[in-house]
Amino acid sequence: MGYGDDIMATAQIRQARLENPDKRIWIGDGTTAMWSPVFDHSPHLCRVGSPRPGDIWVKNYTGHRPYIDYPNSVRGRCAFTDWRAEPGELFFNHIEEVASAKAMKDEGLERKQFIVVEPHIKGGFAATNKDWGWHNWVELMHIIYGLEVAQFDYGKPILEGAVGVPAPNFRIACAVLRHAAAIVTTDGGLHHAAAALGVPGVVIWGGFSSPKNVGYDIHENIYVEDDDTPCGSRGDCEHCRAKMESIKPFIVGGCLEECLNGQRTKSSSRVS
């Protein structure tokens, strides 16, 4: 769990502000305030001082996420509620604006003329079950040859044909992402960021989680639904691997083409 979860929480923070325009708002357990870089520059949240009686608490933090069914989760397997994510929001300051503009200029990227791909999965929470596989990304790059493709460079391999954009931190990456025409990625922080920034694209889902819970209508969500999806397995899972392998690069490429051409007619695709 990480930045993606925190971005989802920003939608609840926004709603709390709408419902309580004159109240101080904190995120935390009702006693101790939490913070994430995702919340930086938010006009809604308190960060300094001490909570007072009557303040509003948004209780969405590590160990208390609304999409996880904690009583029915067991060691090695996560259960989910029927909660549905809403696009969150991100705020940038002048320094981040300048840094992102420089990164784009240095790599020759023009606003809304490039797409972002993210083939890598953050280690930890169900990482291998969200991995589409490097070979699939390589094949996809051949399929979408001719498009301007950017990939954030934070020390991991860059796909051949993609422009590596230095990303000193997640926030700078997001500041660049908001200028992309689209994104192709898997379930993770960047797909939540894209939704918050209004960036369309294609999100590839395996068997671990479902776009019905943590996906967005702005994206073409490619997934395989069956009685065992989402399975919530935290360890290496043959079910999740099979679901990922059933999603072929030509399907992703076709969905991206429709997205870029404004031909999307539905919010999600199922692969049988």
Side-chain angles (χ1 to χ4, degrees):
M1 304 178 189
Y3 291 147
D5 292 291
D6 296 332
I7 292 172
M8 285 190 281
T10 65
Q12 293 178 279
I13 294 166
R14 179 181 58 224
Q15 185 61 35
R17 170 57 65 214
L18 288 173
E19 295 174 357
N20 303 275
D22 300 321
K23 296 281 189 177
R24 302 201 315 165
I25 299 174
W26 304 84
I27 188 159
D29 61 8
T31 302
T32 303
M34 317 294 180
W35 196 262
S36 163
V38 164
F39 308 142
D40 287 357
H41 319 305
S42 171
H44 308 313
L45 278 177
C46 288
R47 186 176 187 179
V48 298
S50 300
R52 300 190 298 244
D55 288 351
I56 303 300
W57 288 87
V58 174
K59 296 182 179 180
N60 185 337
Y61 51 87
T62 300
H64 196 276
R65 301 298 188 185
Y67 67 92
I68 296 180
D69 182 355
Y70 289 97
N72 290 310
S73 295
V74 296
R75 183 179 180 85
R77 188 172 297 275
C78 183
F80 301 98
T81 68
D82 59 1
W83 184 82
R84 177 69 190 275
E86 294 292 335
E89 54 188 0
L90 292 163
F91 300 92
F92 303 100
N93 65 7
H94 179 68
I95 294 174
E96 292 165 334
E97 300 269 6
V98 171
S100 62
K102 182 179 185 303
M104 291 173 56
K105 182 179 180 180
D106 288 348
E107 303 304 330
L109 299 175
E110 297 184 11
R111 295 182 180 186
K112 302 303 178 182
Q113 299 301 309
F114 66 97
I115 68 167
V116 168
V117 298
E118 179 49 78
H120 299 296
I121 304 296
K122 185 186 74 171
F125 191 68
T128 58
N129 298 335
K130 297 181 179 183
D131 186 1
W132 192 36
W134 186 257
H135 62 289
N136 284 320
W137 288 103
V138 170
E139 185 175 342
L140 177 65
M141 289 298 292
H142 289 293
I143 292 171
I144 63 176
Y145 177 81
L147 294 179
E148 187 75 25
V149 179
Q151 181 184 334
F152 295 120
D153 185 355
Y154 44 93
K156 293 188 176 182
I158 301 294
L159 288 161
E160 184 176 355
V163 175
V165 180
N169 58 56
F170 182 73
R171 291 190 58 84
I172 298 300
C174 291
V176 173
L177 172 62
R178 67 194 175 126
H179 297 301
I183 186 172
V184 184
T185 187
T186 52
D187 171 20
L190 279 183
H191 105 265
H192 293 291
L197 299 168
V199 177
V202 182
V203 182
I204 304 162
W205 301 78
F208 172 78
S209 55
S210 167
K212 290 184 176 181
N213 299 109
V214 290
Y216 304 94
D217 290 342
I218 190 176
H219 296 143
E220 191 74 15
N221 297 297
I222 305 179
Y223 70 111
V224 183
E225 187 174 38
D226 60 24
D227 291 341
D228 296 321
T229 302
C231 77
S233 177
R234 297 171 184 258
D236 292 345
C237 175
E238 293 184 5
H239 165 263
C240 292
R241 171 51 47 204
K243 299 308 177 190
M244 276 297 192
E245 284 298 328
S246 69
I247 299 174
K248 303 304 180 183
F250 76 87
I251 296 174
V252 177
C255 287
L256 176 62
E257 181 179 10
E258 292 181 0
C259 175
L260 292 173
N261 292 335
Q263 297 174 348
R264 292 180 66 245
T265 58
K266 54 186 181 299
S267 63
S268 61
S269 299
R270 298 181 186 179
V271 183
S272 58

